[in-house]
Amino acid sequence: MLNVEKIREDFPILETGVIYLDSTATSLTPKQVLREVEKYYLEYRANVGRGIYELAERATSAYEAARKRIASFINAIKGEVVMVKNTTEAINLVAHSLKWRKGDKIVTTLLEHHSNYLPWLRCAERYGVKVEAIKPTPQGMIEVDDLEKTVDDSTKLVAMTHVSNVLGSITPVEEAARIAHEHGALLLIDGAQSVPHIKVDVAKLGCDFLAFSGHKMCGPTGSGALYISREAWEELDPVFVGGGTVESVEEGRFTLLKGPARFEAGTPGIAEAIGLKRAVEYLDALNMDHVVRHERRLGERMYEGLCSMEGVEVYGPEPKYKLGITSFNVEGLDPHEVALILDASAKIAVRSGMHCAQPLIKQVLKKPKGTVRASLYIYNTKEEVEKFLSAMEELTRSALKRK
Ligand SMILES: Cc1ncc(COP(=O)(O)O)c(C=O)c1O
């Protein structure tokens, strides 16, 4: 069980009285992470992988220790993890570093965040590859059968989210890995909404790429990571090159480094990586099994509470098929109006609109104005969920009266 009251002491922003139900967009940051970032700036600020003086050595070893610890959080090894600034950058890095051949197929889904869809459309424009998107069920589930039917021998990459940022639904990633590999394709998992909430083990999933963002898991903004399997390594030619990526340079030619630094052109987010290391230590100390259990318990209450309200339409699968993200609409109100009322009446922060997932919202859910989304994390309490439900009761009562 999480000791939520104790956890809340680590997040001073909660003293403002906000009920923060938007951790899917970005999480709050604990003091421990901020202290670690501050320590770098105040005590050993220097560039990494360049200087040989003491400060530079200290910064380099802290940065590399961060890579190692972040890798172990997903059961990878240090040499398999590239530091990036977010999930979007990680996915674009893969999109433009893979050695495409005309006619290669990319299989993705209509469940995706734009960051795991637009890069593939761009690949189609630039490299002559084909993109096929599997339609989820109306509840936002991806059927294994559809993966079996769509992935074929011309598929070079299957790219799908692990958890939907709109509905919280969990996709069959292990089956996707099996199917992709049966056809000689690679699997990229968008872990932006899974790595912060559940134990993700790349060896167990069998994926070739896993992209995630530090800012959604208590880390600093501008931090994130991309796992690349040994098999996939050979398939990539880094899209960015420059300082920090090379072993040697002669006039007119260069040889890239062998390790992950070959993908990290220019000065990386040093403080960001160091902060993310502290964030994964923080989460590990809480225990990811306890994290997910806590979110699911609160998510179930939120889902059931909303489902029982007259005038509220709730989207997505039943709680057992998802994590603590709930999307809904209130009859007669625009999603942005609901968000503004919740903010003004009860200081509740929820997201409203398209959630960067327009294909899902417009084509699958058929909600042209989007949805309201409430999402949970380690610092949310039962009392907050009850306050949210009371505020929603009041809001729907007045919406129904106005009808
Ligand atoms: C599933 C999913 N993928 C990708 C992203 C993009 O993350 P970032 O903005 O950190 O690059 C998000 C952000 O909400 C997301 O939820």
Side-chain angles (χ1 to χ4, degrees):
M1 275 260 288
L2 293 188
N3 183 346
V4 183
E5 283 318 312
K6 184 152 181 302
I7 289 172
R8 288 173 71 84
E9 289 170 13
D10 297 332
F11 294 83
I13 202 168
L14 293 171
E15 288 162 22
T16 62
V18 67
I19 297 183
Y20 189 72
L21 300 179
D22 196 21
S23 295
T24 296
T26 194
S27 75
L28 306 176
T29 320
K31 286 188 279 196
Q32 289 84 340
V33 168
L34 296 171
R35 279 196 213 114
E36 209 64 22
V37 169
E38 188 181 61
K39 196 164 160 198
Y40 162 70
Y41 281 119
L42 296 181
E43 293 179 24
Y44 59 101
R45 167 133 195 194
N47 213 327
V48 295
R50 289 150 170 84
I52 55 161
Y53 50 92
E54 200 225 320
L55 274 193
E57 288 287 350
R58 192 169 162 203
T60 301
S61 56
Y63 180 72
E64 291 304 325
R67 188 196 303 284
K68 188 171 174 198
R69 185 64 184 83
I70 293 159
S72 84
F73 188 66
I74 54 165
N75 195 25
I77 56 168
K78 188 171 164 250
E80 297 170 325
V81 169
V82 175
M83 301 311 300
V84 291
K85 70 173 190 286
N86 52 42
T87 304
T88 308
E89 185 186 40
I91 296 174
N92 274 280
L93 186 158
V94 175
H96 299 288
S97 300
L98 267 176
K99 298 172 194 163
W100 300 106
R101 275 185 316 253
K102 214 166 172 220
D104 280 342
K105 181 155 110 176
I106 299 168
V107 174
T108 184
T109 83
L110 290 187
L111 197 59
E112 305 307 316
H113 186 282
H114 296 161
S115 292
N116 195 27
Y117 187 54
L118 273 55
W120 314 123
L121 298 185
R122 189 29 75 84
C123 286
E125 285 164 14
R126 290 203 173 158
Y127 315 123
V129 301
K130 284 188 298 186
V131 177
E132 238 179 279
I134 295 171
K135 200 171 173 188
T137 66
Q139 285 73 38
M141 304 298 285
I142 298 295
E143 306 275 11
V144 175
D145 252 14
D146 288 332
L147 279 163
E148 300 265 18
K149 278 187 224 141
T150 320
V151 179
D152 59 21
D153 289 347
S154 73
T155 308
K156 181 163 178 93
L157 183 76
V158 177
M160 69 186 224
T161 193
H162 195 174
V163 172
S164 159
N165 65 307
V166 178
L167 304 171
S169 46
I170 303 167
T171 65
V173 279
E174 287 179 44
E175 287 87 342
R178 174 185 57 77
I179 296 165
H181 294 155
E182 273 170 13
H183 292 278
L186 300 167
L187 173 68
L188 177 142
I189 296 178
D190 173 350
Q193 298 303 341
S194 59
V195 177
H197 304 280
I198 51 178
K199 182 78 202 139
V200 173
D201 176 330
V202 287
K204 206 162 144 226
L205 295 184
C207 59
D208 298 285
F209 305 104
L210 174 75
F212 57 99
S213 299
H215 71 93
K216 294 183 193 289
M217 48 192 284
C218 299
T221 57
S223 66
L226 171 68
Y227 157 80
I228 305 174
S229 72
R230 290 289 157 97
E231 292 70 29
W233 204 263
E234 295 304 313
E235 299 282 334
L236 300 171
D237 234 346
V239 57
F240 296 118
V241 288
T245 64
V246 282
E247 200 170 87
S248 70
V249 187
E250 318 296 333
E251 186 176 349
R253 64 195 159 86
F254 60 88
T255 310
L256 288 174
L257 286 165
K258 302 247 168 344
R262 64 170 20 216
F263 292 101
E264 296 172 2
T267 300
I270 304 165
E272 288 74 7
I274 289 167
L276 180 53
K277 169 179 183 263
R278 188 63 191 90
V280 305
E281 285 166 353
Y282 186 87
L283 289 173
D284 260 345
L286 295 181
N287 183 329
M288 292 308 286
D289 291 337
H290 294 174
V291 167
V292 70
R293 216 169 298 146
H294 170 72
E295 289 175 25
R296 279 200 140 136
R297 200 165 28 226
L298 298 190
E300 221 164 282
R301 170 71 187 125
M302 182 179 269
Y303 178 87
E304 278 156 13
L306 286 171
C307 284
S308 67
M309 277 178 213
E310 201 188 336
V312 176
E313 194 173 45
V314 184
Y315 313 112
E318 289 171 51
K320 65 176 173 192
Y321 299 113
K322 68 186 193 114
L323 298 186
I325 299 174
T326 310
S327 258
F328 60 93
N329 268 317
V330 177
E331 209 182 299
L333 287 178
D334 189 287
H336 291 319
E337 286 180 292
V338 175
L340 287 173
I341 297 171
L342 288 174
D343 191 23
S345 67
K347 221 169 174 184
I348 294 173
V350 291
R351 171 92 186 265
S352 50
M354 292 291 177
H355 315 298
C356 296
Q358 292 190 27
L360 171 67
I361 297 208
K362 294 196 286 205
Q363 265 171 264
V364 182
L365 301 182
K366 299 192 180 1
K367 299 293 153 199
K369 293 194 171 160
T371 73
V372 186
R373 180 187 70 192
S375 54
L376 298 155
Y377 207 19
I378 49 177
Y379 31 70
N380 292 119
T381 63
K382 271 197 300 213
E383 293 71 31
E384 286 184 325
V385 173
E386 294 308 327
K387 277 189 192 159
F388 163 76
L389 291 173
S390 309
M392 281 296 301
E393 289 274 10
E394 207 171 306
L395 183 155
T396 46
R397 253 198 312 271
S398 25
L400 287 174
K401 253 193 242 154
R402 266 190 288 157
K403 246 183 29 173

